[in-house]
């Protein structure tokens, strides 16, 4: 039977542990709040840019002369799937849910006789995907040394996607990530970014009921040359922000 002194030491130890876990809980709550705010603040910009691209796609009369980043190659043979996951563990089903959705799409693509190429971002996703689809992975990225993902990292992924597209390495590109809804719910997403899916819209229904027309100054081609690559990196960055909140 423990002595009175042993019990006192045990009580003191438990109280010390409680203080540590309380501090850890406060830090985790602060991280979640900050990540959630970043995700929510990033949505309006990425959504508006995506809808501008959507409206431009619908207004095109001559697809042959339109920018390929806007309308695609016109083919449906090769898919580039970009899977964004975490570099760290201890986040429940966060990585598993992304990989599960990605694998479902991989299987569908291959069953239809299409060619599959994968860019993997994050170590945890790589561990799950390479077991079955390792031979399809063409690029791997990890930002585990970065305390916070910035737009610079999104541009690295965006530039790689654009480079592969300009080299005719794929026809369609799909992003896989988790969309943050609340602390309980994160919804895995498969977002097609090249070409923009005409059936996809992020605007509210009342805003989407009318189409928009745009006047360009300087010329349309000159503006789209900057806008379209920027949109790719913007959508990747939005996915990073949603992932960061979902992971926390």
């Amino acid at each position: 039977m423990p002595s009175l002194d042993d019990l006192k030491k045990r009580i003191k130890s438990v109280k010390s542990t409680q203080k540590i876990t309380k501090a850890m809980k406060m830090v985790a709550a602060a991280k979640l709040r900050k990540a959630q705010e970043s995700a929510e603040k990033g949505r309006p910009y990425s959504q508006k840019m995506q809808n501008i691209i959507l409206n431009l796609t619908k207004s095109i009369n001559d697809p042959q002369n339109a920018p390929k980043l806007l309308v695609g190659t016109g083919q449906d043979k090769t898919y580039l799937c970009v899977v964004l996951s975490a570099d760290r563990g201890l986040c429940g089903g966060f990585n598993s849910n992304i990989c599960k959705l990605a694998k479902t799409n991989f299987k569908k693509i291959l069953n239809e006789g299409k060619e599959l190429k994968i860019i993997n971002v994050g170590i945890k996703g790589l561990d799950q995907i390479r077991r079955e689809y390792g031979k399809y992975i063409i690029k791997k990225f990890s930002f585990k040394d970065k305390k916070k993902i910035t737009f610079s990292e999104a541009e690295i992924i965006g530039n790689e996607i654009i480079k592969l597209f300009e080299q005719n390495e794929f026809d369609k590109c799909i992003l896989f990530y988790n969309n943050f809804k609340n602390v309980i719910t994160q919804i895995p997403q498969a977002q097609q970014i090249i070409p923009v899916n005409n059936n996809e819209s992020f605007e509210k229904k009342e805003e989407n009921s009318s189409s928009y027309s745009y006047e360009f100054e300087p010329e349309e081609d000159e503006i789209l040359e900057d806008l379209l690559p920027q949109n790719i990196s913007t959508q990747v960055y939005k996915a990073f922000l949603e992932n960061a909140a979902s992971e926390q």
Side-chain angles (χ1 to χ4, degrees):
M1 183 175 178
S3 65
L4 183 60
D5 189 49
D6 290 334
L7 290 174
K8 287 181 178 179
K9 288 180 180 178
R10 179 61 177 166
I11 291 171
K12 185 178 180 181
S13 175
V14 170
K15 287 182 176 180
S16 296
T17 304
Q18 285 178 330
K19 290 180 181 179
I20 295 171
T21 54
K22 184 178 180 181
M24 291 173 67
K25 188 186 295 185
M26 292 173 65
V27 171
K31 285 183 177 180
L32 171 60
R33 185 167 58 252
K34 189 173 182 180
Q36 182 177 347
E37 287 175 356
S38 296
E40 290 173 347
K41 287 178 180 178
R43 286 172 186 167
Y45 181 79
S46 62
Q47 289 170 0
K48 180 58 69 175
M49 179 173 281
Q50 186 79 337
N51 275 277
I52 290 173
I53 302 297
L54 275 169
N55 279 282
L56 288 172
T57 305
K58 293 174 182 177
S59 66
I60 288 175
N61 297 319
D62 185 11
Q64 295 297 327
N65 295 321
K68 295 300 180 184
L69 274 176
L70 187 62
V71 298
T73 62
Q75 299 186 15
D76 189 26
K77 296 179 180 179
T78 306
Y79 281 74
L80 177 67
C81 295
V82 183
V83 183
L84 305 179
S85 62
D87 282 308
R88 299 172 181 83
L90 300 177
C91 47
F94 169 77
N95 296 299
S96 298
N97 291 337
I98 297 172
C99 293
K100 184 178 179 180
L101 178 63
K103 288 178 181 178
T104 300
N105 280 264
F106 297 164
K107 187 176 181 180
K108 181 181 178 183
I109 291 168
L110 294 173
N111 286 343
E112 291 176 354
K114 310 290 176 61
E115 186 179 353
L116 173 65
K117 296 180 180 181
I118 301 171
I119 292 180
N120 187 89
V121 184
I123 295 174
K124 296 303 177 180
L126 178 63
D127 293 340
Q128 297 187 42
I129 289 173
R130 66 181 171 187
R131 297 170 194 164
E132 191 174 353
Y133 297 97
K135 65 180 180 180
Y136 301 104
I137 298 174
I138 60 171
K139 292 283 181 180
K140 305 171 189 174
F141 292 92
S142 174
F143 300 112
K144 63 180 180 180
D145 296 329
K146 299 284 184 179
K147 290 185 178 180
K148 182 180 179 182
I149 299 294
T150 65
F151 191 75
S152 297
E153 285 71 50
E155 278 191 315
I156 292 173
I157 306 300
N159 291 338
E160 183 64 31
I161 293 171
I162 293 168
K163 184 182 79 172
L164 291 171
F165 185 72
E166 290 175 345
Q167 294 172 352
N168 298 315
E169 291 289 330
F170 67 89
D171 300 310
K172 292 187 176 182
C173 178
I174 304 174
L175 276 181
F176 294 93
Y177 61 96
N178 260 332
N179 186 59
F180 178 83
K181 187 174 181 181
N182 53 50
V183 293
I184 303 297
T185 307
Q186 300 86 43
I187 304 171
Q189 300 289 313
Q191 179 186 347
Q192 183 176 301
I193 57 173
I194 299 178
V196 177
N197 189 351
N198 284 329
N199 296 322
E200 181 180 304
S201 178
F202 299 98
E203 296 278 13
K204 295 179 181 179
K205 291 183 179 179
E206 59 268 21
E207 293 177 344
N208 203 33
S209 59
S210 60
S211 60
Y212 300 91
S213 62
Y214 300 96
E215 293 183 1
F216 294 91
E217 186 179 336
E219 294 300 321
E220 179 178 338
D221 292 342
E222 187 176 342
I223 293 177
L224 289 178
E225 187 178 343
D226 289 332
L227 183 63
L228 293 173
Q230 182 82 0
N231 181 56
I232 301 299
S233 297
T234 297
Q235 300 308 318
V236 173
Y237 186 49
K238 179 204 69 176
F240 273 133
L241 292 177
E242 295 288 346
N243 263 5
S246 299
E247 183 181 354
Q248 290 298 329

